[in-house]
Amino acid sequence: MINLERVVREIKTIGLYDLVLQDVQRVAEKNRVSEAEIRQIIEENPQILEDYMQTNVEYNLSNIHVRDIAVNDLKDDCKPQAQQVNANLTQLRALEKYTLDFEQSATLVIIFSIEFFVLFSVQYFIVLLNLKEWQWWIYTLFASSVALAYWYGKKQSNIYAKNKKKYEELYMQTLELLKELEDKGCIKKEDLLIYECEEHV
């Protein structure tokens, strides 16, 4: 459900994807690359497309380049599947953030930030407030916070893994539904493609 034409144009023209463009230029072994060359390189190097998609997820931009189907314009026998596609697209957009690797997620950054703050506070209480007689209690509290952060991180990691699997299954199901609707003459997938991201405009 990704529009390669849009991907190529965004990599070439939008600064957000400069690192992806640099990877393309490295593969091409030249600085100026045409859209046709970018497309060919993306097709031959799937990791570059993955990097583009990861960048989008990190910046809360969608990799679902398909708009909802206008159900009212369809024949009655097409409507149930089209409504299912629309429901799936809504769910996919909500689950999309879980396609980001947990190790690169904001959740993990927040956990580390809190732990750094707790460690700083521990040192502050012991050294600056001269609470050396309480230091074992304070270190125990810090150790407890580390254990809690580890447990919470594991829990969030499992949530990411579970939702990523759900996303992948729903993605494949939606692709099949779109193909069935197109085969039945209900829609043209080309008409549903989104060619421009409003956030970039």
Side-chain angles (χ1 to χ4, degrees):
M1 281 182 279
I2 200 154
N3 182 354
L4 273 183
E5 186 181 324
R6 169 178 162 178
V7 172
V8 167
R9 191 173 59 254
E10 288 184 345
I11 289 173
K12 185 171 173 63
T13 60
I14 295 173
L16 177 63
Y17 307 104
D18 278 352
L19 290 176
V20 181
L21 179 61
Q22 287 171 19
D23 287 342
V24 170
Q25 291 167 336
R26 183 180 42 77
V27 171
E29 296 180 347
K30 58 182 182 177
N31 286 336
R32 290 182 173 236
V33 284
S34 68
E35 289 189 6
E37 289 171 319
I38 293 173
R39 184 170 186 135
Q40 183 184 350
I41 288 168
I42 285 173
E43 289 171 351
E44 292 171 358
N45 300 273
Q47 184 56 46
I48 292 175
L49 181 59
E50 280 294 316
D51 292 343
Y52 165 88
M53 293 169 73
Q54 289 282 316
T55 301
N56 278 345
V57 175
E58 287 169 9
Y59 286 90
N60 293 320
L61 300 172
S62 182
N63 288 311
I64 309 288
H65 297 167
V66 176
R67 66 176 48 86
D68 288 359
I69 300 168
V71 179
N72 295 335
D73 301 338
L74 300 179
K75 297 179 287 186
D76 287 345
D77 61 326
C78 298
K79 286 183 180 181
Q81 281 180 304
Q83 287 169 335
Q84 185 60 55
V85 167
N86 290 347
N88 286 5
L89 289 174
T90 300
Q91 200 171 358
L92 283 167
R93 290 181 191 111
L95 291 171
E96 203 167 8
K97 64 184 174 185
Y98 295 107
T99 61
L100 186 67
D101 291 335
F102 179 69
E103 290 75 22
Q104 298 174 356
S105 69
T107 306
L108 196 61
V109 172
I110 291 168
I111 291 170
F112 278 124
S113 299
I114 291 171
E115 279 309 301
F116 179 78
F117 174 75
V118 171
L119 177 61
F120 177 78
S121 299
V122 164
Q123 292 302 322
Y124 175 79
F125 282 122
I126 292 172
V127 177
L128 295 178
L129 297 179
N130 199 19
L131 296 175
K132 289 186 180 173
E133 65 274 8
W134 294 92
Q135 70 183 357
W136 291 113
W137 290 104
I138 295 170
Y139 281 128
T140 302
L141 180 66
F142 175 66
S144 300
S145 78
V146 169
L148 183 65
Y150 177 79
W151 170 81
Y152 182 75
K154 277 299 214 185
K155 182 179 174 185
Q156 288 299 309
S157 177
N158 290 337
I159 289 170
Y160 267 73
K162 179 181 169 187
N163 283 324
K164 184 174 184 176
K165 186 178 179 205
K166 187 176 179 182
Y167 175 91
E168 288 166 356
E169 289 169 357
L170 196 60
Y171 189 93
M172 295 311 295
Q173 179 195 2
T174 307
L175 281 179
E176 286 173 25
L177 283 169
L178 284 168
K179 186 178 184 309
E180 286 172 24
L181 284 167
E182 195 165 30
D183 290 345
K184 283 164 59 177
C186 300
I187 61 162
K188 285 184 182 175
K189 192 176 173 190
E190 191 70 25
D191 295 339
L192 298 176
L193 291 177
I194 302 169
Y195 286 90
E196 197 170 67
C197 177
E198 290 179 7
E199 283 86 347
H200 294 322
V201 178

